[in-house]
PDB file of all heavy atoms in Angstrom:
ATOM      1  N   MET B 244     -10.545  24.016  -8.939  1.00 84.00           N
ATOM      2  CA  MET B 244     -11.447  24.864  -9.731  1.00 84.00           C
ATOM      3  C   MET B 244     -11.046  26.328  -9.620  1.00 84.00           C
ATOM      4  O   MET B 244     -11.851  27.220  -9.834  1.00 84.00           O
ATOM      5  CB  MET B 244     -12.888  24.647  -9.263  1.00 84.00           C
ATOM      6  CG  MET B 244     -13.389  23.254  -9.573  1.00 84.00           C
ATOM      7  SD  MET B 244     -15.074  22.962  -9.000  1.00 84.00           S
ATOM      8  CE  MET B 244     -14.846  22.847  -7.247  1.00 84.00           C
ATOM      9  N   LYS B 245      -9.790  26.552  -9.237  1.00 92.00           N
ATOM     10  CA  LYS B 245      -9.210  27.897  -9.156  1.00 92.00           C
ATOM     11  C   LYS B 245      -9.849  28.765  -8.064  1.00 92.00           C
ATOM     12  O   LYS B 245      -9.856  29.981  -8.158  1.00 92.00           O
ATOM     13  CB  LYS B 245      -9.300  28.629 -10.514  1.00 92.00           C
ATOM     14  CG  LYS B 245      -8.841  27.813 -11.707  1.00 92.00           C
ATOM     15  CD  LYS B 245      -7.316  27.808 -11.821  1.00 92.00           C
ATOM     16  CE  LYS B 245      -6.852  26.983 -13.015  1.00 92.00           C
ATOM     17  NZ  LYS B 245      -5.983  25.873 -12.605  1.00 92.00           N
ATOM     18  N   PHE B 246     -10.408  28.124  -7.034  1.00 94.00           N
ATOM     19  CA  PHE B 246     -10.914  28.869  -5.878  1.00 94.00           C
ATOM     20  C   PHE B 246      -9.966  28.642  -4.706  1.00 94.00           C
ATOM     21  O   PHE B 246      -9.228  27.665  -4.703  1.00 94.00           O
ATOM     22  CB  PHE B 246     -12.325  28.397  -5.498  1.00 94.00           C
ATOM     23  CG  PHE B 246     -13.392  28.857  -6.442  1.00 94.00           C
ATOM     24  CD1 PHE B 246     -13.869  28.016  -7.453  1.00 94.00           C
ATOM     25  CD2 PHE B 246     -13.930  30.136  -6.332  1.00 94.00           C
ATOM     26  CE1 PHE B 246     -14.849  28.446  -8.332  1.00 94.00           C
ATOM     27  CE2 PHE B 246     -14.910  30.575  -7.208  1.00 94.00           C
ATOM     28  CZ  PHE B 246     -15.370  29.732  -8.204  1.00 94.00           C
ATOM     29  N   PRO B 247      -9.992  29.543  -3.696  1.00 96.00           N
ATOM     30  CA  PRO B 247      -9.110  29.319  -2.546  1.00 96.00           C
ATOM     31  C   PRO B 247      -9.462  28.023  -1.804  1.00 96.00           C
ATOM     32  O   PRO B 247     -10.623  27.606  -1.818  1.00 96.00           O
ATOM     33  CB  PRO B 247      -9.369  30.530  -1.641  1.00 96.00           C
ATOM     34  CG  PRO B 247     -10.358  31.381  -2.317  1.00 96.00           C
ATOM     35  CD  PRO B 247     -10.779  30.770  -3.599  1.00 96.00           C
ATOM     36  N   ILE B 248      -8.482  27.449  -1.154  1.00 96.00           N
ATOM     37  CA  ILE B 248      -8.670  26.151  -0.484  1.00 96.00           C
ATOM     38  C   ILE B 248      -9.629  26.264   0.696  1.00 96.00           C
ATOM     39  O   ILE B 248     -10.189  25.271   1.163  1.00 96.00           O
ATOM     40  CB  ILE B 248      -7.308  25.576  -0.047  1.00 96.00           C
ATOM     41  CG1 ILE B 248      -7.409  24.061   0.219  1.00 96.00           C
ATOM     42  CG2 ILE B 248      -6.737  26.307   1.179  1.00 96.00           C
ATOM     43  CD1 ILE B 248      -6.101  23.346   0.200  1.00 96.00           C
ATOM     44  N   THR B 249      -9.854  27.493   1.183  1.00 96.00           N
ATOM     45  CA  THR B 249     -10.762  27.686   2.324  1.00 96.00           C
ATOM     46  C   THR B 249     -12.215  27.874   1.880  1.00 96.00           C
ATOM     47  O   THR B 249     -13.120  27.907   2.716  1.00 96.00           O
ATOM     48  CB  THR B 249     -10.337  28.926   3.125  1.00 96.00           C
ATOM     49  OG1 THR B 249     -10.178  30.016   2.209  1.00 96.00           O
ATOM     50  CG2 THR B 249      -9.028  28.696   3.859  1.00 96.00           C
ATOM     51  N   ALA B 250     -12.442  28.021   0.564  1.00 94.00           N
ATOM     52  CA  ALA B 250     -13.812  28.269   0.081  1.00 94.00           C
ATOM     53  C   ALA B 250     -14.649  27.003   0.222  1.00 94.00           C
ATOM     54  O   ALA B 250     -14.213  25.932  -0.172  1.00 94.00           O
ATOM     55  CB  ALA B 250     -13.769  28.709  -1.379  1.00 94.00           C
ATOM     56  N   PRO B 251     -15.856  27.132   0.807  1.00 93.00           N
ATOM     57  CA  PRO B 251     -16.689  25.932   0.923  1.00 93.00           C
ATOM     58  C   PRO B 251     -17.205  25.487  -0.451  1.00 93.00           C
ATOM     59  O   PRO B 251     -17.451  26.324  -1.319  1.00 93.00           O
ATOM     60  CB  PRO B 251     -17.843  26.382   1.816  1.00 93.00           C
ATOM     61  CG  PRO B 251     -17.868  27.852   1.728  1.00 93.00           C
ATOM     62  CD  PRO B 251     -16.491  28.330   1.380  1.00 93.00           C
ATOM     63  N   PHE B 252     -17.307  24.179  -0.628  1.00 92.00           N
ATOM     64  CA  PHE B 252     -17.892  23.648  -1.861  1.00 92.00           C
ATOM     65  C   PHE B 252     -19.404  23.764  -1.725  1.00 92.00           C
ATOM     66  O   PHE B 252     -19.980  23.209  -0.788  1.00 92.00           O
ATOM     67  CB  PHE B 252     -17.470  22.190  -2.033  1.00 92.00           C
ATOM     68  CG  PHE B 252     -17.915  21.575  -3.330  1.00 92.00           C
ATOM     69  CD1 PHE B 252     -17.114  21.661  -4.463  1.00 92.00           C
ATOM     70  CD2 PHE B 252     -19.134  20.904  -3.419  1.00 92.00           C
ATOM     71  CE1 PHE B 252     -17.516  21.092  -5.660  1.00 92.00           C
ATOM     72  CE2 PHE B 252     -19.536  20.337  -4.620  1.00 92.00           C
ATOM     73  CZ  PHE B 252     -18.728  20.432  -5.738  1.00 92.00           C
ATOM     74  N   PRO B 253     -20.076  24.511  -2.603  1.00 90.00           N
ATOM     75  CA  PRO B 253     -21.508  24.753  -2.415  1.00 90.00           C
ATOM     76  C   PRO B 253     -22.333  23.465  -2.507  1.00 90.00           C
ATOM     77  O   PRO B 253     -22.183  22.709  -3.463  1.00 90.00           O
ATOM     78  CB  PRO B 253     -21.876  25.687  -3.567  1.00 90.00           C
ATOM     79  CG  PRO B 253     -20.582  26.139  -4.160  1.00 90.00           C
ATOM     80  CD  PRO B 253     -19.568  25.112  -3.834  1.00 90.00           C
ATOM     81  N   THR B 254     -23.173  23.253  -1.500  1.00 90.00           N
ATOM     82  CA  THR B 254     -23.971  22.032  -1.466  1.00 90.00           C
ATOM     83  C   THR B 254     -24.887  21.915  -2.679  1.00 90.00           C
ATOM     84  O   THR B 254     -25.037  20.844  -3.252  1.00 90.00           O
ATOM     85  CB  THR B 254     -24.802  21.990  -0.161  1.00 90.00           C
ATOM     86  OG1 THR B 254     -23.892  21.798   0.919  1.00 90.00           O
ATOM     87  CG2 THR B 254     -25.788  20.859  -0.160  1.00 90.00           C
ATOM     88  N   TRP B 255     -25.472  23.054  -3.099  1.00 92.00           N
ATOM     89  CA  TRP B 255     -26.368  22.990  -4.266  1.00 92.00           C
ATOM     90  C   TRP B 255     -25.621  22.502  -5.503  1.00 92.00           C
ATOM     91  O   TRP B 255     -26.160  21.802  -6.352  1.00 92.00           O
ATOM     92  CB  TRP B 255     -27.038  24.353  -4.531  1.00 92.00           C
ATOM     93  CG  TRP B 255     -26.060  25.479  -4.806  1.00 92.00           C
ATOM     94  CD1 TRP B 255     -25.566  26.366  -3.899  1.00 92.00           C
ATOM     95  CD2 TRP B 255     -25.457  25.822  -6.068  1.00 92.00           C
ATOM     96  NE1 TRP B 255     -24.693  27.226  -4.504  1.00 92.00           N
ATOM     97  CE2 TRP B 255     -24.613  26.925  -5.823  1.00 92.00           C
ATOM     98  CE3 TRP B 255     -25.568  25.307  -7.366  1.00 92.00           C
ATOM     99  CZ2 TRP B 255     -23.868  27.527  -6.841  1.00 92.00           C
ATOM    100  CZ3 TRP B 255     -24.816  25.912  -8.375  1.00 92.00           C
ATOM    101  CH2 TRP B 255     -23.976  26.999  -8.111  1.00 92.00           C
ATOM    102  N   MET B 256     -24.341  22.871  -5.586  1.00 91.00           N
ATOM    103  CA  MET B 256     -23.553  22.444  -6.747  1.00 91.00           C
ATOM    104  C   MET B 256     -23.336  20.933  -6.724  1.00 91.00           C
ATOM    105  O   MET B 256     -23.382  20.261  -7.757  1.00 91.00           O
ATOM    106  CB  MET B 256     -22.212  23.171  -6.744  1.00 91.00           C
ATOM    107  CG  MET B 256     -21.487  23.130  -8.073  1.00 91.00           C
ATOM    108  SD  MET B 256     -19.825  23.793  -7.927  1.00 91.00           S
ATOM    109  CE  MET B 256     -20.150  25.537  -7.922  1.00 91.00           C
ATOM    110  N   GLY B 257     -23.140  20.434  -5.490  1.00 92.00           N
ATOM    111  CA  GLY B 257     -22.903  18.999  -5.350  1.00 92.00           C
ATOM    112  C   GLY B 257     -24.093  18.151  -5.766  1.00 92.00           C
ATOM    113  O   GLY B 257     -23.942  16.970  -6.092  1.00 92.00           O
ATOM    114  N   ALA B 258     -25.282  18.766  -5.731  1.00 94.00           N
ATOM    115  CA  ALA B 258     -26.487  18.007  -6.056  1.00 94.00           C
ATOM    116  C   ALA B 258     -26.756  17.946  -7.557  1.00 94.00           C
ATOM    117  O   ALA B 258     -27.600  17.179  -8.013  1.00 94.00           O
ATOM    118  CB  ALA B 258     -27.688  18.637  -5.338  1.00 94.00           C
ATOM    119  N   ILE B 259     -26.045  18.751  -8.335  1.00 95.00           N
ATOM    120  CA  ILE B 259     -26.270  18.741  -9.786  1.00 95.00           C
ATOM    121  C   ILE B 259     -25.832  17.388 -10.362  1.00 95.00           C
ATOM    122  O   ILE B 259     -24.748  16.905 -10.034  1.00 95.00           O
ATOM    123  CB  ILE B 259     -25.474  19.895 -10.466  1.00 95.00           C
ATOM    124  CG1 ILE B 259     -25.970  21.243  -9.941  1.00 95.00           C
ATOM    125  CG2 ILE B 259     -25.581  19.820 -11.988  1.00 95.00           C
ATOM    126  CD1 ILE B 259     -25.126  22.425 -10.410  1.00 95.00           C
ATOM    127  N   PRO B 260     -26.676  16.777 -11.199  1.00 94.00           N
ATOM    128  CA  PRO B 260     -26.295  15.478 -11.771  1.00 94.00           C
ATOM    129  C   PRO B 260     -24.935  15.564 -12.466  1.00 94.00           C
ATOM    130  O   PRO B 260     -24.662  16.511 -13.196  1.00 94.00           O
ATOM    131  CB  PRO B 260     -27.401  15.186 -12.788  1.00 94.00           C
ATOM    132  CG  PRO B 260     -28.575  15.982 -12.308  1.00 94.00           C
ATOM    133  CD  PRO B 260     -28.004  17.209 -11.667  1.00 94.00           C
ATOM    134  N   GLY B 261     -24.093  14.607 -12.191  1.00 94.00           N
ATOM    135  CA  GLY B 261     -22.781  14.565 -12.850  1.00 94.00           C
ATOM    136  C   GLY B 261     -21.659  15.156 -12.019  1.00 94.00           C
ATOM    137  O   GLY B 261     -20.488  14.901 -12.288  1.00 94.00           O
TER     138      GLY B 261
END
Side-chain angles (χ1 to χ4, degrees):
Chain B
M244 293 179 287
K245 312 280 180 240
F246 286 98
I248 199 161
T249 50
F252 185 89
T254 291
W255 60 265
M256 197 188 282
I259 298 172

